[in-house]
Amino acid sequence: MSLERCSINTATLGHRLPIEEVVDLVARFGFGAIAPWRRDLDGRSVAAIARRIREAGLTLSGYCRSTYFPAATQAQFKANVADNLRALGDAALLGAPCFVLVVGSLPPGERDLDAARAQVTEGLALLLEQARTCGVTLALEPLHPMYAGDRSCVTSLGEALAICEALDPEQRGGIGVAIDVYHVWWDALLAEGIRKAGEAGRICAFHLCDWLVPTRDLLLDRGMMGDGVIEIPKIRGLVEQAGYRGFIETEIFSRDWWGRPESEILATCVERLTRCC
């Protein structure tokens, strides 16, 4: 795999270094793109970071991630939508092709999952026209069902595609899906979902890591590619057969890897992308 087609999501390096240093380091290892998180840009000029990325010879594979939509009050829901609109503007200024959406689920103290799903759909609808105007696609990322109670009430590729179809039945664009192997590898309907996503032109991003057995932490124990049980080459093949030609993005949340030097993490990513993916 050519590294020029590979991207590093900044979460992979643990958010320890200033974003300027991360940009330079990712470029030095030969990657073609980077996907920064909003937290990396806190207190910094978005325009200056965009310029730094361009000058390093990198492009963006995406911008992470949305504020959760569901809220216990209408006022908070509106505030969440407004925050996502601001982030969408930053994504456009950075030159990101997509804004990755982790949509949230039950607000604290709530149990109505249907209501949370309704708020997610409403929130996406409120973002869609602005996304089309600024040229940044909303990339709805389904999360593994273990996150259904808090991080995402959208837990399969099929669910995500149904939302896209409901909001964009004429396929005008502006909304699609981010496929992260960590979240979808278990799904018996995955191949069908990837095919449908490709036919509709909705695959916006493709994220890699691995599922460790056993998984010791529900959030911070993702594996490096090749260390777990996901058939990464098979899923990559399905995504590419469906027409995806974008960047292949490594995104690893891991206390283990975050305890190592950034240069070691990137060197291992290079080796694994070349050998295992």
Side-chain angles (χ1 to χ4, degrees):
M1 184 189 304
S2 169
L3 284 182
E4 292 182 357
R5 199 188 159 201
C6 295
S7 176
I8 290 292
N9 185 293
T10 58
T12 301
L13 302 182
H15 306 291
R16 294 172 295 180
L17 293 176
I19 184 61
E20 296 86 353
E21 293 183 34
V22 172
V23 167
D24 293 345
L25 193 58
V26 169
R28 194 179 313 141
F29 271 83
F31 292 90
I34 192 169
W37 276 57
R38 292 164 67 184
R39 63 184 285 181
D40 298 319
L41 274 64
D42 284 349
R44 288 173 164 78
S45 163
V46 176
I49 298 303
R51 185 168 57 251
R52 182 72 168 251
I53 291 171
R54 290 194 302 271
E55 290 174 350
L58 297 173
T59 188
L60 277 89
S61 56
Y63 186 46
C64 291
R65 66 167 171 76
S66 64
T67 297
Y68 297 158
F69 288 98
T73 67
Q74 187 64 15
Q76 185 59 55
F77 171 73
K78 291 180 178 179
N80 294 345
V81 171
D83 195 48
N84 283 325
L85 283 169
R86 285 189 292 271
L88 190 57
D90 288 342
L93 187 55
L94 285 166
C98 65
F99 177 39
V100 177
L101 300 158
V102 174
V103 296
S105 189
L106 297 172
E110 300 292 327
R111 294 185 177 180
D112 191 340
L113 198 57
D114 288 336
R117 291 180 176 129
Q119 284 189 315
V120 166
T121 300
E122 181 183 355
L124 292 171
L126 293 170
L127 294 184
L128 184 52
E129 284 307 316
Q130 181 60 28
R132 287 169 174 158
T133 298
C134 69
V136 178
T137 301
L138 303 174
L140 178 56
E141 182 175 5
L143 264 57
H144 191 280
M146 66 181 171
Y147 298 122
D150 53 1
R151 294 182 177 275
S152 181
C153 55
V154 180
T155 59
S156 72
L157 183 55
E159 291 175 56
L161 289 172
I163 293 172
C164 292
E165 178 63 23
L167 295 178
D168 181 35
E170 298 177 353
Q171 298 183 9
R172 292 174 53 203
I175 188 167
V177 295
I179 298 176
D180 187 323
V181 298
Y182 191 77
H183 297 303
V184 302
W185 71 276
W186 56 273
D187 189 349
L189 300 177
L190 180 59
E192 179 184 355
I194 291 173
R195 178 184 59 79
K196 289 181 177 179
E199 289 175 351
R202 298 207 192 275
I203 304 177
C204 306
F206 181 49
H207 299 170
L208 297 186
C209 60
D210 215 334
W211 185 282
L212 299 178
V213 178
T215 294
R216 297 166 296 177
D217 186 286
L218 294 183
L219 182 62
L220 301 178
D221 195 29
R222 297 193 189 189
M224 184 66 70
M225 292 78 70
D227 286 347
V229 297
I230 299 176
E231 290 185 285
I232 294 174
K234 178 180 177 180
I235 298 175
R236 178 190 169 195
L238 291 171
V239 168
E240 293 182 340
Q241 288 168 24
Y244 181 72
R245 297 294 181 266
F247 287 101
I248 295 170
E249 181 179 320
T250 298
E251 183 184 44
I252 299 173
F253 302 154
S254 167
R255 283 199 183 97
D256 178 20
W257 284 100
W258 290 348
R260 309 185 193 194
E262 288 83 358
S263 58
E264 180 184 347
I265 298 172
L266 289 175
T268 306
C269 286
V270 169
E271 188 268 332
R272 298 303 177 83
L273 286 165
T274 303
R275 179 170 62 85
C276 303
C277 302

PDB file of all heavy atoms in Angstrom, residues 228-250:
ATOM      1  N   GLY A 228      -5.066  -8.141  16.013  1.00  0.00           N
ATOM      2  CA  GLY A 228      -6.360  -8.627  16.461  1.00  0.00           C
ATOM      3  C   GLY A 228      -7.007  -9.567  15.466  1.00  0.00           C
ATOM      4  O   GLY A 228      -6.317 -10.243  14.696  1.00  0.00           O
ATOM      5  N   VAL A 229      -8.350  -9.583  15.457  1.00  0.00           N
ATOM      6  CA  VAL A 229      -9.084 -10.602  14.710  1.00  0.00           C
ATOM      7  C   VAL A 229      -9.843 -10.062  13.496  1.00  0.00           C
ATOM      8  O   VAL A 229     -10.535 -10.826  12.810  1.00  0.00           O
ATOM      9  CB  VAL A 229     -10.086 -11.319  15.648  1.00  0.00           C
ATOM     10  CG1 VAL A 229      -9.343 -12.054  16.751  1.00  0.00           C
ATOM     11  CG2 VAL A 229     -11.107 -10.340  16.229  1.00  0.00           C
ATOM     12  N   ILE A 230      -9.731  -8.781  13.197  1.00  0.00           N
ATOM     13  CA  ILE A 230     -10.466  -8.230  12.060  1.00  0.00           C
ATOM     14  C   ILE A 230      -9.784  -8.623  10.748  1.00  0.00           C
ATOM     15  O   ILE A 230      -8.551  -8.515  10.627  1.00  0.00           O
ATOM     16  CB  ILE A 230     -10.557  -6.692  12.158  1.00  0.00           C
ATOM     17  CG1 ILE A 230     -11.294  -6.281  13.437  1.00  0.00           C
ATOM     18  CG2 ILE A 230     -11.287  -6.122  10.942  1.00  0.00           C
ATOM     19  CD1 ILE A 230     -11.353  -4.783  13.661  1.00  0.00           C
ATOM     20  N   GLU A 231     -10.574  -9.054   9.775  1.00  0.00           N
ATOM     21  CA  GLU A 231     -10.054  -9.366   8.439  1.00  0.00           C
ATOM     22  C   GLU A 231      -9.923  -8.062   7.643  1.00  0.00           C
ATOM     23  O   GLU A 231     -10.725  -7.767   6.756  1.00  0.00           O
ATOM     24  CB  GLU A 231     -10.981 -10.339   7.722  1.00  0.00           C
ATOM     25  CG  GLU A 231     -10.984 -11.736   8.291  1.00  0.00           C
ATOM     26  CD  GLU A 231     -11.835 -12.667   7.439  1.00  0.00           C
ATOM     27  OE1 GLU A 231     -13.065 -12.567   7.523  1.00  0.00           O
ATOM     28  OE2 GLU A 231     -11.266 -13.488   6.687  1.00  0.00           O
ATOM     29  N   ILE A 232      -8.909  -7.301   7.965  1.00  0.00           N
ATOM     30  CA  ILE A 232      -8.763  -5.968   7.384  1.00  0.00           C
ATOM     31  C   ILE A 232      -8.633  -6.002   5.861  1.00  0.00           C
ATOM     32  O   ILE A 232      -9.313  -5.231   5.167  1.00  0.00           O
ATOM     33  CB  ILE A 232      -7.583  -5.224   8.042  1.00  0.00           C
ATOM     34  CG1 ILE A 232      -7.907  -4.963   9.524  1.00  0.00           C
ATOM     35  CG2 ILE A 232      -7.302  -3.902   7.322  1.00  0.00           C
ATOM     36  CD1 ILE A 232      -6.765  -4.371  10.309  1.00  0.00           C
ATOM     37  N   PRO A 233      -7.783  -6.856   5.287  1.00  0.00           N
ATOM     38  CA  PRO A 233      -7.693  -6.867   3.817  1.00  0.00           C
ATOM     39  C   PRO A 233      -9.028  -7.184   3.146  1.00  0.00           C
ATOM     40  O   PRO A 233      -9.345  -6.617   2.094  1.00  0.00           O
ATOM     41  CB  PRO A 233      -6.653  -7.949   3.531  1.00  0.00           C
ATOM     42  CG  PRO A 233      -5.819  -8.018   4.772  1.00  0.00           C
ATOM     43  CD  PRO A 233      -6.792  -7.769   5.890  1.00  0.00           C
ATOM     44  N   LYS A 234      -9.809  -8.074   3.740  1.00  0.00           N
ATOM     45  CA  LYS A 234     -11.108  -8.423   3.169  1.00  0.00           C
ATOM     46  C   LYS A 234     -12.037  -7.215   3.169  1.00  0.00           C
ATOM     47  O   LYS A 234     -12.693  -6.915   2.153  1.00  0.00           O
ATOM     48  CB  LYS A 234     -11.741  -9.569   3.961  1.00  0.00           C
ATOM     49  CG  LYS A 234     -13.126  -9.963   3.468  1.00  0.00           C
ATOM     50  CD  LYS A 234     -13.694 -11.098   4.302  1.00  0.00           C
ATOM     51  CE  LYS A 234     -15.111 -11.464   3.860  1.00  0.00           C
ATOM     52  NZ  LYS A 234     -15.649 -12.584   4.687  1.00  0.00           N
ATOM     53  N   ILE A 235     -12.120  -6.496   4.294  1.00  0.00           N
ATOM     54  CA  ILE A 235     -13.006  -5.335   4.374  1.00  0.00           C
ATOM     55  C   ILE A 235     -12.509  -4.219   3.468  1.00  0.00           C
ATOM     56  O   ILE A 235     -13.302  -3.563   2.776  1.00  0.00           O
ATOM     57  CB  ILE A 235     -13.144  -4.861   5.830  1.00  0.00           C
ATOM     58  CG1 ILE A 235     -13.763  -5.963   6.694  1.00  0.00           C
ATOM     59  CG2 ILE A 235     -13.994  -3.591   5.896  1.00  0.00           C
ATOM     60  CD1 ILE A 235     -13.841  -5.632   8.171  1.00  0.00           C
ATOM     61  N   ARG A 236     -11.196  -4.027   3.438  1.00  0.00           N
ATOM     62  CA  ARG A 236     -10.654  -3.026   2.519  1.00  0.00           C
ATOM     63  C   ARG A 236     -11.034  -3.376   1.076  1.00  0.00           C
ATOM     64  O   ARG A 236     -11.399  -2.490   0.286  1.00  0.00           O
ATOM     65  CB  ARG A 236      -9.138  -2.942   2.650  1.00  0.00           C
ATOM     66  CG  ARG A 236      -8.507  -1.958   1.675  1.00  0.00           C
ATOM     67  CD  ARG A 236      -6.997  -2.069   1.641  1.00  0.00           C
ATOM     68  NE  ARG A 236      -6.457  -1.300   0.530  1.00  0.00           N
ATOM     69  CZ  ARG A 236      -5.226  -1.425   0.057  1.00  0.00           C
ATOM     70  NH1 ARG A 236      -4.394  -2.288   0.613  1.00  0.00           N
ATOM     71  NH2 ARG A 236      -4.821  -0.707  -0.966  1.00  0.00           N
ATOM     72  N   GLY A 237     -10.942  -4.645   0.726  1.00  0.00           N
ATOM     73  CA  GLY A 237     -11.307  -5.069  -0.617  1.00  0.00           C
ATOM     74  C   GLY A 237     -12.762  -4.760  -0.934  1.00  0.00           C
ATOM     75  O   GLY A 237     -13.090  -4.290  -2.037  1.00  0.00           O
ATOM     76  N   LEU A 238     -13.654  -5.002   0.024  1.00  0.00           N
ATOM     77  CA  LEU A 238     -15.068  -4.703  -0.182  1.00  0.00           C
ATOM     78  C   LEU A 238     -15.296  -3.208  -0.395  1.00  0.00           C
ATOM     79  O   LEU A 238     -16.078  -2.798  -1.261  1.00  0.00           O
ATOM     80  CB  LEU A 238     -15.882  -5.181   1.029  1.00  0.00           C
ATOM     81  CG  LEU A 238     -15.997  -6.692   1.229  1.00  0.00           C
ATOM     82  CD1 LEU A 238     -16.639  -6.996   2.580  1.00  0.00           C
ATOM     83  CD2 LEU A 238     -16.807  -7.325   0.099  1.00  0.00           C
ATOM     84  N   VAL A 239     -14.600  -2.406   0.404  1.00  0.00           N
ATOM     85  CA  VAL A 239     -14.749  -0.949   0.298  1.00  0.00           C
ATOM     86  C   VAL A 239     -14.244  -0.449  -1.055  1.00  0.00           C
ATOM     87  O   VAL A 239     -14.877   0.401  -1.704  1.00  0.00           O
ATOM     88  CB  VAL A 239     -14.017  -0.267   1.471  1.00  0.00           C
ATOM     89  CG1 VAL A 239     -13.898   1.235   1.247  1.00  0.00           C
ATOM     90  CG2 VAL A 239     -14.744  -0.545   2.782  1.00  0.00           C
ATOM     91  N   GLU A 240     -13.131  -0.978  -1.493  1.00  0.00           N
ATOM     92  CA  GLU A 240     -12.589  -0.534  -2.772  1.00  0.00           C
ATOM     93  C   GLU A 240     -13.404  -1.074  -3.950  1.00  0.00           C
ATOM     94  O   GLU A 240     -13.569  -0.376  -4.961  1.00  0.00           O
ATOM     95  CB  GLU A 240     -11.117  -0.923  -2.861  1.00  0.00           C
ATOM     96  CG  GLU A 240     -10.273  -0.152  -1.859  1.00  0.00           C
ATOM     97  CD  GLU A 240      -8.793  -0.465  -1.929  1.00  0.00           C
ATOM     98  OE1 GLU A 240      -8.439  -1.538  -2.469  1.00  0.00           O
ATOM     99  OE2 GLU A 240      -8.003   0.356  -1.425  1.00  0.00           O
ATOM    100  N   GLN A 241     -13.921  -2.289  -3.827  1.00  0.00           N
ATOM    101  CA  GLN A 241     -14.820  -2.802  -4.869  1.00  0.00           C
ATOM    102  C   GLN A 241     -16.077  -1.946  -4.977  1.00  0.00           C
ATOM    103  O   GLN A 241     -16.675  -1.841  -6.054  1.00  0.00           O
ATOM    104  CB  GLN A 241     -15.200  -4.251  -4.557  1.00  0.00           C
ATOM    105  CG  GLN A 241     -14.073  -5.259  -4.760  1.00  0.00           C
ATOM    106  CD  GLN A 241     -14.398  -6.619  -4.166  1.00  0.00           C
ATOM    107  OE1 GLN A 241     -15.565  -6.976  -3.999  1.00  0.00           O
ATOM    108  NE2 GLN A 241     -13.365  -7.376  -3.816  1.00  0.00           N
ATOM    109  N   ALA A 242     -16.455  -1.324  -3.878  1.00  0.00           N
ATOM    110  CA  ALA A 242     -17.636  -0.452  -3.872  1.00  0.00           C
ATOM    111  C   ALA A 242     -17.334   0.925  -4.457  1.00  0.00           C
ATOM    112  O   ALA A 242     -18.229   1.767  -4.527  1.00  0.00           O
ATOM    113  CB  ALA A 242     -18.168  -0.305  -2.447  1.00  0.00           C
ATOM    114  N   GLY A 243     -16.073   1.150  -4.847  1.00  0.00           N
ATOM    115  CA  GLY A 243     -15.733   2.388  -5.527  1.00  0.00           C
ATOM    116  C   GLY A 243     -14.987   3.412  -4.708  1.00  0.00           C
ATOM    117  O   GLY A 243     -14.673   4.507  -5.212  1.00  0.00           O
ATOM    118  N   TYR A 244     -14.669   3.100  -3.444  1.00  0.00           N
ATOM    119  CA  TYR A 244     -13.962   4.085  -2.619  1.00  0.00           C
ATOM    120  C   TYR A 244     -12.520   4.233  -3.067  1.00  0.00           C
ATOM    121  O   TYR A 244     -11.800   3.245  -3.198  1.00  0.00           O
ATOM    122  CB  TYR A 244     -13.995   3.654  -1.148  1.00  0.00           C
ATOM    123  CG  TYR A 244     -13.305   4.627  -0.220  1.00  0.00           C
ATOM    124  CD1 TYR A 244     -13.872   5.857   0.075  1.00  0.00           C
ATOM    125  CD2 TYR A 244     -12.082   4.306   0.367  1.00  0.00           C
ATOM    126  CE1 TYR A 244     -13.242   6.748   0.930  1.00  0.00           C
ATOM    127  CE2 TYR A 244     -11.454   5.175   1.232  1.00  0.00           C
ATOM    128  CZ  TYR A 244     -12.031   6.404   1.500  1.00  0.00           C
ATOM    129  OH  TYR A 244     -11.397   7.282   2.353  1.00  0.00           O
ATOM    130  N   ARG A 245     -12.109   5.458  -3.295  1.00  0.00           N
ATOM    131  CA  ARG A 245     -10.743   5.744  -3.723  1.00  0.00           C
ATOM    132  C   ARG A 245     -10.076   6.786  -2.830  1.00  0.00           C
ATOM    133  O   ARG A 245      -9.069   7.380  -3.199  1.00  0.00           O
ATOM    134  CB  ARG A 245     -10.742   6.238  -5.180  1.00  0.00           C
ATOM    135  CG  ARG A 245     -11.254   5.208  -6.192  1.00  0.00           C
ATOM    136  CD  ARG A 245     -10.336   4.017  -6.286  1.00  0.00           C
ATOM    137  NE  ARG A 245     -10.801   3.041  -7.262  1.00  0.00           N
ATOM    138  CZ  ARG A 245     -11.566   1.985  -6.960  1.00  0.00           C
ATOM    139  NH1 ARG A 245     -11.952   1.790  -5.703  1.00  0.00           N
ATOM    140  NH2 ARG A 245     -11.957   1.144  -7.896  1.00  0.00           N
ATOM    141  N   GLY A 246     -10.646   7.007  -1.668  1.00  0.00           N
ATOM    142  CA  GLY A 246     -10.108   8.010  -0.756  1.00  0.00           C
ATOM    143  C   GLY A 246      -8.976   7.479   0.100  1.00  0.00           C
ATOM    144  O   GLY A 246      -8.439   6.387  -0.127  1.00  0.00           O
ATOM    145  N   PHE A 247      -8.639   8.238   1.130  1.00  0.00           N
ATOM    146  CA  PHE A 247      -7.536   7.878   2.006  1.00  0.00           C
ATOM    147  C   PHE A 247      -7.921   6.736   2.950  1.00  0.00           C
ATOM    148  O   PHE A 247      -9.078   6.580   3.330  1.00  0.00           O
ATOM    149  CB  PHE A 247      -7.104   9.091   2.834  1.00  0.00           C
ATOM    150  CG  PHE A 247      -6.351  10.118   2.042  1.00  0.00           C
ATOM    151  CD1 PHE A 247      -6.989  11.264   1.601  1.00  0.00           C
ATOM    152  CD2 PHE A 247      -5.019   9.919   1.721  1.00  0.00           C
ATOM    153  CE1 PHE A 247      -6.302  12.211   0.862  1.00  0.00           C
ATOM    154  CE2 PHE A 247      -4.324  10.863   0.977  1.00  0.00           C
ATOM    155  CZ  PHE A 247      -4.978  12.012   0.543  1.00  0.00           C
ATOM    156  N   ILE A 248      -6.925   5.953   3.319  1.00  0.00           N
ATOM    157  CA  ILE A 248      -7.074   4.887   4.301  1.00  0.00           C
ATOM    158  C   ILE A 248      -6.461   5.413   5.598  1.00  0.00           C
ATOM    159  O   ILE A 248      -5.255   5.657   5.677  1.00  0.00           O
ATOM    160  CB  ILE A 248      -6.384   3.605   3.813  1.00  0.00           C
ATOM    161  CG1 ILE A 248      -7.096   3.093   2.554  1.00  0.00           C
ATOM    162  CG2 ILE A 248      -6.377   2.550   4.910  1.00  0.00           C
ATOM    163  CD1 ILE A 248      -6.382   1.979   1.849  1.00  0.00           C
ATOM    164  N   GLU A 249      -7.310   5.614   6.577  1.00  0.00           N
ATOM    165  CA  GLU A 249      -6.949   6.373   7.782  1.00  0.00           C
ATOM    166  C   GLU A 249      -6.767   5.459   8.991  1.00  0.00           C
ATOM    167  O   GLU A 249      -7.667   4.697   9.336  1.00  0.00           O
ATOM    168  CB  GLU A 249      -8.047   7.401   8.045  1.00  0.00           C
ATOM    169  CG  GLU A 249      -7.830   8.289   9.243  1.00  0.00           C
ATOM    170  CD  GLU A 249      -8.975   9.279   9.393  1.00  0.00           C
ATOM    171  OE1 GLU A 249      -9.461   9.820   8.368  1.00  0.00           O
ATOM    172  OE2 GLU A 249      -9.407   9.510  10.536  1.00  0.00           O
ATOM    173  N   THR A 250      -5.621   5.549   9.635  1.00  0.00           N
ATOM    174  CA  THR A 250      -5.376   4.798  10.859  1.00  0.00           C
ATOM    175  C   THR A 250      -5.861   5.607  12.060  1.00  0.00           C
ATOM    176  O   THR A 250      -5.461   6.756  12.248  1.00  0.00           O
ATOM    177  CB  THR A 250      -3.881   4.488  11.025  1.00  0.00           C
ATOM    178  OG1 THR A 250      -3.443   3.673   9.931  1.00  0.00           O
ATOM    179  CG2 THR A 250      -3.620   3.749  12.325  1.00  0.00           C
TER     180      THR A 250
END
